Amino acid sequence: MKKYFQSLAYITFVIVTSFAIIKAITAYENPFSLYENPLVWIAITALITVVLLKELVNIIALKKAENLQLEKDGINPEEIDHWAWVKSLVKKWTQAKAVEEEEEIILDHNYDGIQELDNSLPPWWLYMFYATIVFGVVYLVKYHMLNGDNQTVEYQKEVAIAKRELEAFRATSKDAVIDMETITALTDESSLNRGKAVFNLNCAACHQKDGGGGIGPNLTDKYWILGGGIKNIFKTIAKGGRDGKGMVAWEKTLKPADVHKVASYVVSLQGTTPAKAKEPQGDLYEEESSDAAENKEEKAEEVIENSDNTNTEETSTTKTK
């Protein structure tokens, strides 16, 4: 009864665990990510361990049954050579002669009593030698007669394929690339909460959790070393601060979407009052209004038009002369 209960428990565990693993693989976006879904790997490890232990128990049980049968037949299990098949395989693949059979391959000549044996080459060595000959012929035909791709060409093809795949990924993934020229500050609660969490984890050590500044500058005032506003803040976080003494570049550690959310959270800190605010650093930064930006664009267009008109008049005057 105990044996049947153990078998039932084993079968139930295997079925339930396998179903759970399959369900997790189909449900999760990255099921085999150890950091995101550690339970999947725990379940796989547990399933493999239980199956191996079950097989080990079966092998031990079969071994005991064989020994009992041998004892009933009057054979001592310790006298049986369990490695006989290994010795037979080694002998077949080396064609080694036993000491008693060496007289068959002794050569007629000797040197100072030292006799030489006419041993044949081991079959495994011969087969490997024949394989190298076949490989050499194939290599000669492919690369020297049919002009196959060498390592440099293969590398260039792989790089080109990787670039195309990267461009396709950037075209379909919203988190892959963010245009710093058209970026705007996020204001929804979920984005700011995410930005705050990433800020507390990576930035608070230098800027304090309230943005008041420590090793790094104060983020709540209007003075900025590398410029304020969402565009400049995003660029500073992604590309890093001043060379040698500024902040490291976070673009290799954080996703562009997270950098965007952190920059938006930093923008939201403007005007807050931290407990221990650091003295202002850098230059006063005033965000340009949309009207001012439009006026600048209009003035730039007028300058371009005036320049084109002047060039046209000069050209016509020259032709008249």
Side-chain angles (χ1 to χ4, degrees), residues 174 177-186 229-232 234-235 260 264 287 297:
K174 63 180 181 179
V177 176
I178 294 178
D179 186 3
M180 284 188 287
E181 297 301 323
T182 59
I183 190 173
T184 57
L186 302 172
I230 184 66
K231 296 179 182 179
N232 292 322
F234 181 92
K235 182 179 179 181
H260 189 189
S264 299
E287 187 77 30
E297 291 180 359

Side-chain angles (χ1 to χ4, degrees), residues 95-150:
Q95 290 186 352
K97 292 285 185 179
V99 177
E100 296 81 8
E101 301 174 350
E102 285 185 351
E103 292 183 0
E104 302 175 4
I105 56 174
I106 292 179
L107 297 177
D108 295 335
H109 56 275
N110 65 72
Y111 301 92
D112 295 333
I114 301 175
Q115 293 179 303
E116 184 180 358
L117 299 179
D118 188 18
N119 279 313
S120 59
L121 290 171
W124 66 266
W125 192 94
L126 281 174
Y127 295 151
M128 289 184 63
F129 177 68
Y130 296 149
T132 58
I133 295 175
V134 174
F135 175 83
V137 172
V138 173
Y139 187 93
L140 175 67
V141 172
K142 181 177 180 180
Y143 293 103
H144 294 277
M145 298 177 66
L146 301 179
N147 296 324
D149 295 340
N150 56 28

Side-chain angles (χ1 to χ4, degrees), residues 266-304:
V266 172
V267 172
S268 70
L269 293 176
Q270 288 290 289
T272 59
T273 54
K276 295 181 180 179
K278 191 176 181 180
E279 291 297 324
Q281 293 176 272
D283 301 322
L284 179 65
Y285 178 85
E286 291 290 347
E287 187 77 30
E288 289 185 356
S289 63
S290 58
D291 294 338
E294 290 178 0
N295 291 335
K296 278 189 175 182
E297 291 180 359
E298 292 176 358
K299 289 181 180 179
E301 290 177 357
E302 290 178 0
V303 170
I304 294 173

Side-chain angles (χ1 to χ4, degrees), residues 253-266:
T253 306
L254 301 177
K255 296 179 180 179
D258 282 340
V259 177
H260 189 189
K261 291 171 184 177
V262 173
S264 299
Y265 174 71
V266 172

Side-chain angles (χ1 to χ4, degrees), residues 5-303:
F5 177 76
Q6 291 176 347
S7 299
L8 181 61
Y10 169 74
I11 294 172
T12 304
F13 174 79
V14 171
I15 293 175
V16 172
T17 308
S18 301
F19 177 78
I21 293 172
I22 294 172
K23 196 72 175 176
I25 291 174
T26 56
Y28 295 145
E29 183 177 355
N30 298 313
F32 297 109
S33 175
L34 182 61
Y35 296 102
E36 294 182 12
N37 304 299
L39 292 178
V40 175
W41 282 105
I42 293 174
I44 294 174
T45 305
L47 179 61
I48 295 174
T49 303
V50 170
V51 172
L52 291 178
L53 289 176
K54 178 65 175 177
E55 292 301 319
L56 181 61
V57 170
N58 290 338
I59 293 172
I60 294 173
L62 290 173
K63 191 68 177 176
K64 289 182 178 179
E66 290 177 0
N67 291 340
L68 289 174
Q69 186 63 41
L70 291 173
E71 290 177 357
K72 288 182 180 180
D73 296 339
I75 302 174
N76 186 3
E78 296 180 357
E79 296 177 355
I80 298 177
D81 188 1
H82 297 286
W83 297 98
W85 65 276
V86 177
K87 295 177 181 177
S88 175
L89 183 65
V90 171
K91 185 176 181 180
K92 180 179 179 181
W93 278 86
T94 58
Q95 290 186 352
K97 292 285 185 179
V99 177
E100 296 81 8
E101 301 174 350
E102 285 185 351
E103 292 183 0
E104 302 175 4
I105 56 174
I106 292 179
L107 297 177
D108 295 335
H109 56 275
N110 65 72
Y111 301 92
D112 295 333
I114 301 175
Q115 293 179 303
E116 184 180 358
L117 299 179
D118 188 18
N119 279 313
S120 59
L121 290 171
W124 66 266
W125 192 94
L126 281 174
Y127 295 151
M128 289 184 63
F129 177 68
Y130 296 149
T132 58
I133 295 175
V134 174
F135 175 83
V137 172
V138 173
Y139 187 93
L140 175 67
V141 172
K142 181 177 180 180
Y143 293 103
H144 294 277
M145 298 177 66
L146 301 179
N147 296 324
D149 295 340
N150 56 28
Q151 292 180 340
T152 303
V153 175
E154 289 180 351
Y155 170 76
Q156 292 172 348
K157 285 185 176 180
E158 292 294 331
V159 171
I161 292 172
K163 286 182 178 179
R164 287 199 298 268
E165 292 177 350
L166 180 59
E167 290 175 359
F169 170 75
R170 286 177 172 175
T172 56
S173 177
K174 63 180 181 179
D175 292 341
V177 176
I178 294 178
D179 186 3
M180 284 188 287
E181 297 301 323
T182 59
I183 190 173
T184 57
L186 302 172
T187 57
D188 59 287
E189 185 177 355
S190 61
S191 297
L192 293 179
N193 288 338
R194 173 65 179 175
K196 181 179 180 181
V198 177
F199 179 90
N200 291 337
L201 181 64
N202 300 285
C203 313
C206 295
H207 297 282
Q208 302 300 325
K209 287 188 176 182
D210 56 7
I215 299 175
N218 184 355
L219 303 177
T220 63
D221 56 31
K222 294 184 178 182
Y223 290 84
W224 297 87
I225 298 174
L226 297 175
I230 184 66
K231 296 179 182 179
N232 292 322
I233 296 173
F234 181 92
K235 182 179 179 181
T236 303
I237 297 173
K239 303 298 183 182
R242 296 164 293 174
D243 293 337
K245 56 181 178 180
M247 181 177 64
V248 299
W250 287 95
E251 62 182 354
K252 295 182 179 179
T253 306
L254 301 177
K255 296 179 180 179
D258 282 340
V259 177
H260 189 189
K261 291 171 184 177
V262 173
S264 299
Y265 174 71
V266 172
V267 172
S268 70
L269 293 176
Q270 288 290 289
T272 59
T273 54
K276 295 181 180 179
K278 191 176 181 180
E279 291 297 324
Q281 293 176 272
D283 301 322
L284 179 65
Y285 178 85
E286 291 290 347
E287 187 77 30
E288 289 185 356
S289 63
S290 58
D291 294 338
E294 290 178 0
N295 291 335
K296 278 189 175 182
E297 291 180 359
E298 292 176 358
K299 289 181 180 179
E301 290 177 357
E302 290 178 0
V303 170

